[in-house]
Amino acid sequence: MLGGRYMSEITNIALDAMGGDYAPVEMVKGAVDAIQKESAMKVFLVGQEDKINEELEKYQYNKEQIEVVPASEVIETAEPPVSAIRKKKDSSIVVGM
């Protein structure tokens, strides 16, 4: 046991790669940085697959620790949250949840 966790435990994290400023550039960068610091972690990057993969190509990382989960739609900042979630069922935030 290390720090209260068994070494065989893997922490799974779903990350909306299309959310926030400079997405998916900063989200991918953060995911790669996180897995390089924590080997018992897997990150699921949710969003537009082609854009995420384009960013991932810039890095060397353990491919088993990052998985891209496709979601074709993006909810924009100005959209009303509830109606956007109802209308955009294939948005990165909805698929990630």
Side-chain angles (χ1 to χ4, degrees):
M1 200 157 102
L2 178 66
R5 287 189 351 202
Y6 290 99
M7 299 215 23
S8 64
E9 287 184 19
I10 300 290
T11 301
N12 292 306
I13 298 172
L15 179 62
D16 178 1
M18 307 314 292
D21 295 335
Y22 310 109
V25 175
E26 292 300 322
M27 306 314 165
V28 169
K29 180 179 172 184
V32 171
D33 186 47
I35 65 162
Q36 289 175 341
K37 292 178 181 174
E38 177 60 62
S39 62
M41 174 186 296
K42 182 165 184 171
V43 178
F44 296 86
L45 292 170
V46 185
Q48 296 174 333
E49 191 172 18
D50 55 337
K51 292 181 181 180
I52 296 169
N53 284 328
E54 183 179 321
E55 284 304 313
L56 283 171
E57 289 176 12
K58 299 176 183 177
Y59 299 95
Q60 289 187 330
Y61 62 96
N62 181 349
K63 307 275 191 259
E64 292 180 13
Q65 284 186 268
I66 294 182
E67 183 176 328
V68 178
V69 179
S72 63
E73 297 176 300
V74 175
I75 295 176
E76 302 298 331
T77 305
E79 291 184 75
V82 174
S83 66
I85 288 171
R86 287 181 181 152
K87 290 179 186 174
K88 295 184 175 182
K89 298 292 184 193
D90 197 43
S91 66
S92 51
I93 190 72
V94 174
V95 172
M97 296 311 288

